Amino acid sequence: MKHVVIQAALAAMLAASACATALAQEGGDGKSLFLKNCAACHQPSAKGIPGAFPALAESRFVQGQGSEVAGVLLKGRGGMPDFSESLSDREIAAVLTFVRANFGNRAAGLSEAEVGALRAALGVEPFGSAVMSNKH
């Protein structure tokens, strides 16, 4: 009986691990963060709107230096607002990892630590330290 319980527990752990791996490959929360925060402008297909919002799909910029792409989310650029007060370093890393690995892009993801280090280097306030805002 004890052997059967151990086998069932191992099977459950393997299934949970496979599910987590599948979510990570699909973008997990990076995908949902993209849909919630980026898709309205850049479109769910990431193809953007010519003349208004740049395409993120098959983008040389998106696939370039991770620090440059993360810098846009932390400080904004052109008409794009910054997300430094509305997304944590983990969330910025997740959405960038998702976008850099999907839509025809093939670039390495970013870690929470990399985004945090960039936030500090750029002098952007730590997430959660700003007064509540209704920016996004």
Side-chain angles (χ1 to χ4, degrees):
M1 180 68 174
K2 199 178 203 181
H3 184 66
V4 172
V5 171
I6 291 172
Q7 283 182 332
L10 285 173
M13 287 188 327
L14 287 173
S17 175
C19 183
T21 300
L23 276 175
Q25 290 171 344
E26 291 175 6
D29 72 341
K31 181 177 182 178
S32 63
L33 286 165
F34 173 81
L35 292 171
K36 179 180 177 186
N37 296 282
C38 312
C41 297
H42 296 286
Q43 304 301 293
S45 65
K47 293 189 179 186
I49 298 174
F53 304 105
L56 303 178
E58 299 178 7
S59 167
R60 287 174 40 190
F61 177 74
V62 168
Q63 295 179 79
Q65 285 287 1
S67 59
E68 289 182 29
V69 182
V72 173
L73 270 70
L74 288 168
K75 294 199 73 130
R77 183 171 85 174
M80 183 169 153
D82 74 79
F83 287 84
S84 64
E85 294 177 14
S86 57
L87 295 176
S88 69
D89 296 344
R90 183 193 62 76
E91 291 169 323
I92 290 173
V95 75
L96 288 178
T97 297
F98 172 73
V99 172
R100 288 169 55 89
N102 289 282
F103 308 113
N105 297 319
R106 301 287 176 252
L110 281 90
S111 70
E112 179 179 356
E114 289 171 311
V115 174
L118 181 61
R119 183 184 289 266
L122 293 173
V124 176
E125 290 290 322
F127 176 74
S129 67
V131 176
M132 294 273 294
S133 78
N134 196 13
K135 266 171 89 168
H136 306 290

